[in-house]
Amino acid sequence: MNIRYRIARLVLPALVVLIFLSCGQKEEASEPSVQNPATQESSPPEPAKAVGEPAYGDALVEGSIGDASNLIPMLSSDSSSHAIAGLVYNGLVKYDKDINLVGDLAEKWNISEDGTVIDFHLRKGVKWHDGSPFTAEDALFTYKVMIDPKTPTAYADDFLQVQKAELIDSYTMRVTYKRPFAPALASWGMGVAPKHLLEGKDITQSPLVRDPVGTGPYLFERWITGREIVLRANPNYFEGRPYISESKTRIIPDSATMFLELEAGGIDLMGLTPIQYTRQTVSDQWKKRFNKYSYLASAYTYLGYNLEDSKFKDKRVRQAISYAVNKQELIDGVLLGLGEAASGPFKPGTWPYNPDVKPYAYNPERAKELLREAGWEDTDGDGLLDKDGEPFRFTILTNQGNESRQKTGVIIQFSLKAIGIEVQVRTVEWAAFLKEFIDKKKFEAVILGWTIPPDPDLFDVWHSSKTRPSELNFVSYRNEEVDRLIEKSRYTFDREVRKECLYKIQEILAEDQPYTFLYVPQALVAVSSRIRGIEPAPLGIAYNRIKWYVPADQQKYKIAF
C-alpha cells in the first residue's frame, strides 16, 4: 500500500488521517511515523470471539471528516485524498513497519558508490487494474509528468533533482542525480501513474481524477461526493489478495456524529477525540466491541500566519502571540493531556529534533512588551490594541468537523483577548477550506496540522521557492539562511551534517515564529474488535492492512466477489 509517501501533507487531525499517515503529509495536513510503538487497549476476547482463522470477505467501513479532492496522488496534497489513493496506487518504494525503506513496485535497487545513480529493478508480472502490464515505461512516464511544468503538483522538486532518467530494459530504470540527494530514494514512494491511460492527455482533466486505475491492493469502485468512496479488493494483487473484500470510507464531517455511527455499527474504524478516548469508550461493553490504539503521532498542530498580511510581518507580533498562548492549557483542555507541546516541525525524541529549542513559555506580560515595541498600544481605551488607527483584529480559519482545532481556536481567542487582540474563529468545510482559502492564500491565520515524514526534508513546507499558490509554504515564509540550510541538508548523505543543519533551522524558526507551534497529539484510534490482524508497530497500525481479516463466523457484510 502506498500509504507512506514521505512528503508532508496537511493533516485532517483527530480522525482517520492520523491512522494512516505514519509518514508525514498538506493536512494535510492527514496522516504518523512514531518512535514509540502504538499501544493497544482492549479487553480480553470473549470465548465467542476467540481469534479465528483468517478468511476472505466482509467490509471495513471507516469514517473521515473530509472528502477526497483528487485521486491522482501527484495532484493532491491532502491526507483524505492520499489515504484513498494509497490503497489504489503503489510507489517504487515504501516504508516497512519499522520505518525502513523497502521495495514496493521495485523488487530491489542498486545505488552507486557516490549516491548519484539508482538502478531500480522492477517487479515483473504486475498488472494495472484494467489488465495492462506494469513496466518501467510507467515509472519513467511518472517521472516525466512530475517534472512537466504543466503538472500542478506540490512535489516536483524532488524529481527536478534528477539529471537523467532512462530505461535499461522493460523492468529496469536508471535515475542519475545531479549531486547526492538525501531524499532521493524516499521520493520514489510517489504513486506510479499508468502511461497507457495518461500519455498525451491533460492529466488535470483525466477521468482518473475521480476514477483511478492503479496497481494497488484495492480497485476503485465508486465515489459519491461528500458521502462515500468505495474500493474493492484486488484479487490479483502482487502481495496477495487483501482479506477484507471492500474498503469503504464514509464522509462524516462531524466527530460527534461519527462517534455515534461507530457505536451504532455504521462504521468500524475512526480516530477518536481525546474526550471520546478517555471518557466515552471505557465501559466493559464498549471494550468488548472495539479495540483502541494510541501512540504519539508524527504530526503537529500549529497556528500559522499569513506573512504577507501587514499585521504579521513583524516577528515581534508573532512572538508575542506565541507567548500569549498557554500550550499546557491547550494540552490539558483540548487534548486532555494526550499530547506534548511542540517547539518546531519535528517530533520529540526523533533524531532531527533539537531538544535545546524549547516551546515558548506562557508569558502574557512579555507578549504585551513585544507588542508595545512593535507599535501596538491601546490609544483610545477601548480594550483593543491599535496601530495607525487600526484595531488589532483578525480571523483564525480552521476546518469544519475537527473538534480539537475548534476548541484550540476558542482558547487562543480568549488568550489573545487578554492582551488586547480581538480574534474571530471561523470553520470551513475541508475541501472548500483548501481550495478557496489555503491554496489562494485568502486567510489571516489558520489552525492546521502537518504530518511529519520519516525523512526530515523541510523543502516543500519551508523553502522560499515553495510559496506560490497551491504550494505547501502557503504562509509565505522566506528566510535566506533557512533556504541555505535546507539545501545543504538535502544534498548530503552525512546524517551529522543534516542534523546540524536541521538543529539550526529549528533555532531560526523559533526566533521567527512563522507558526506558533502548538502541540504534538496522540493518535487515538478505535477499530471494531471483529477486525483482526492489526499489529501495532513503529509505523502505526495500517502498514499491514491487506492482512487484516474478519473470521468467517463473525463477518458482517456479505460482499459479492
Side-chain angles (χ1 to χ4, degrees):
M1 281 178 284
N2 181 27
I3 58 177
R4 302 151 281 254
Y5 188 55
R6 63 170 201 87
I7 286 179
R9 294 164 237 175
L10 288 173
V11 181
L12 269 181
L15 303 186
V16 72
V17 175
L18 291 182
I19 302 167
F20 296 102
L21 301 182
S22 297
C23 65
Q25 296 168 3
K26 186 178 181 184
E27 174 165 345
E28 338 127 267
S30 209
E31 341 203 334
S33 152
V34 294
Q35 284 292 309
N36 302 316
T39 57
Q40 179 180 4
E41 178 185 320
S42 65
S43 298
E46 293 181 306
K49 291 187 177 181
V51 175
E53 293 294 319
Y56 295 104
D58 213 334
L60 172 64
V61 184
E62 59 194 274
S64 175
I65 281 181
D67 202 354
S69 62
N70 191 317
L71 296 180
I72 296 178
M74 61 189 66
L75 300 185
S76 63
S77 57
D78 62 284
S79 55
S80 295
S81 299
H82 279 275
I84 301 298
L87 295 170
V88 176
Y89 290 94
N90 296 95
L92 298 187
V93 300
K94 64 181 180 181
Y95 286 100
D96 70 7
K97 66 178 184 178
D98 296 315
I99 321 179
N100 301 307
L101 281 170
V102 297
D104 199 4
L105 286 171
E107 199 166 45
K108 59 182 180 179
W109 56 85
N110 305 108
I111 301 178
S112 65
E113 196 168 321
D114 67 356
T116 60
V117 181
I118 307 175
D119 286 343
F120 287 106
H121 303 277
L122 308 184
R123 291 177 185 267
K124 298 176 181 175
V126 175
K127 292 189 175 181
W128 293 97
H129 294 161
D130 64 0
S132 300
F134 159 76
T135 72
E137 294 273 5
D138 296 303
L140 183 64
F141 171 73
T142 299
Y143 160 72
K144 290 179 178 177
V145 172
M146 291 300 299
I147 63 170
D148 187 336
K150 294 194 294 294
T151 302
T153 177
Y155 311 129
D157 186 79
D158 285 357
F159 297 89
L160 291 170
Q161 305 303 318
V162 175
Q163 183 179 51
K164 180 172 59 175
E166 56 193 322
L167 299 186
I168 304 302
D169 58 42
S170 295
Y171 293 96
T172 308
M173 182 176 72
R174 173 172 294 168
V175 289
T176 303
Y177 286 82
K178 303 168 187 171
R179 49 186 163 171
F181 181 55
L185 187 58
S187 70
W188 291 96
M190 170 61 73
V192 175
K195 176 184 176 183
H196 66 289
L197 296 176
L198 292 171
E199 187 175 38
K201 300 176 181 175
D202 180 354
I203 189 171
T204 64
Q205 301 302 314
S206 169
L208 272 62
V209 166
R210 290 188 60 90
D211 188 358
V213 176
T215 55
Y218 281 89
L219 296 80
F220 176 81
E221 180 157 309
R222 67 177 180 273
W223 177 0
I224 303 175
T225 300
R227 181 175 166 188
E228 65 180 28
I229 298 175
V230 178
L231 309 176
R232 288 294 183 95
N234 178 359
N236 302 311
Y237 187 52
F238 59 80
E239 288 189 332
R241 171 184 163 187
Y243 284 115
I244 301 291
S245 294
E246 182 176 283
S247 177
K248 177 187 288 186
T249 300
R250 290 184 55 195
I251 316 304
I252 306 173
D254 176 76
S255 62
T257 304
M258 191 184 297
F259 186 67
L260 292 175
E261 284 283 351
L262 183 76
E263 290 190 307
I267 60 173
D268 301 308
L269 183 155
M270 67 175 282
L272 299 173
T273 65
I275 196 167
Q276 290 165 350
Y277 186 87
T278 57
R279 298 177 188 171
Q280 297 175 294
T281 57
V282 295
S283 71
D284 290 341
Q285 183 61 31
W286 205 94
K287 290 180 178 179
K288 289 176 183 175
R289 298 180 58 212
F290 300 97
N291 292 322
K292 293 195 296 187
Y293 302 86
S294 67
Y295 44 94
L296 190 63
S298 280
Y300 64 90
T301 298
Y302 60 88
L303 172 65
Y305 308 102
N306 187 338
L307 301 179
E308 294 180 349
D309 187 305
S310 59
K311 292 188 291 294
F312 302 115
K313 284 185 178 296
D314 190 328
K315 72 179 179 183
R316 292 173 295 187
V317 171
R318 306 191 297 269
Q319 291 171 341
I321 293 174
S322 293
Y323 277 119
V325 174
N326 188 335
K327 294 182 181 179
Q328 193 57 50
E329 183 180 29
L330 294 175
I331 292 168
D332 294 340
V334 176
L335 302 183
L336 303 182
L338 300 172
E340 298 183 16
S343 60
F346 295 117
K347 180 178 173 179
T350 57
W351 70 263
Y353 178 81
N354 184 346
D356 295 328
V357 176
K358 305 297 183 187
Y360 271 50
Y362 177 55
N363 190 340
E365 294 307 314
R366 178 59 179 151
K368 293 175 184 176
E369 287 177 11
L370 286 164
L371 289 166
R372 273 197 299 274
E373 291 173 12
W376 289 95
E377 295 186 77
D378 182 7
T379 60
D380 55 11
D382 67 350
L384 279 184
L385 301 177
D386 53 80
K387 182 179 179 181
D388 301 328
E390 293 296 325
F392 202 155
R393 294 190 177 101
F394 69 94
T395 298
I396 297 174
L397 290 181
T398 194
N399 60 290
Q400 191 179 66
N402 190 295
E403 184 180 308
S404 294
R405 289 182 184 171
Q406 292 168 24
K407 287 181 177 177
T408 295
V410 171
I411 291 175
I412 290 175
Q413 181 183 44
F414 277 96
S415 297
L416 297 190
K417 184 177 181 181
I419 61 169
I421 299 175
E422 185 175 284
V423 170
Q424 299 294 321
V425 180
R426 181 184 173 191
T427 60
V428 182
E429 184 275 327
W430 177 245
F433 179 61
L434 291 182
K435 184 177 179 181
E436 301 299 327
F437 296 94
I438 298 299
D439 288 349
K440 296 178 180 176
K441 301 187 179 189
K442 293 172 62 176
F443 64 90
E444 294 175 295
V446 294
I447 295 176
L448 272 175
W450 289 106
T451 56
I452 305 170
D455 187 277
D457 182 24
L458 297 174
F459 184 83
D460 286 304
V461 177
W462 294 108
H463 197 274
S464 300
S465 67
K466 305 299 288 184
T467 56
R468 291 170 297 190
S470 300
E471 293 191 317
L472 304 188
N473 186 356
F474 52 82
V475 298
S476 303
Y477 178 65
R478 297 178 177 86
N479 183 302
E480 291 182 2
E481 177 67 359
V482 168
D483 288 350
R484 187 187 69 78
L485 290 165
I486 287 175
E487 291 164 14
K488 184 177 179 182
S489 72
R490 64 192 329 230
Y491 295 130
T492 177
F493 293 122
D494 187 326
R495 176 172 284 197
E496 287 306 310
V497 173
R498 297 192 79 189
K499 185 175 177 180
E500 184 180 340
C501 294
L502 297 170
Y503 269 37
K504 182 61 180 175
I505 291 171
Q506 289 167 81
E507 293 173 7
I508 296 171
L509 291 178
E511 172 68 18
D512 285 352
Q513 290 292 292
Y515 296 170
T516 291
F517 296 93
L518 298 173
Y519 48 75
V520 178
Q522 289 273 343
L524 310 169
V525 185
V527 187
S528 168
S529 57
R530 81 177 197 287
I531 308 295
R532 308 294 172 82
I534 298 173
E535 298 176 358
L539 192 63
I541 66 170
Y543 67 91
N544 70 335
R545 182 162 165 158
I546 66 171
K547 300 297 184 185
W548 293 6
Y549 66 94
V550 179
D553 63 347
Q554 294 180 36
Q555 294 192 358
K556 178 178 178 180
Y557 299 99
K558 303 302 178 186
I559 308 298
F561 201 79

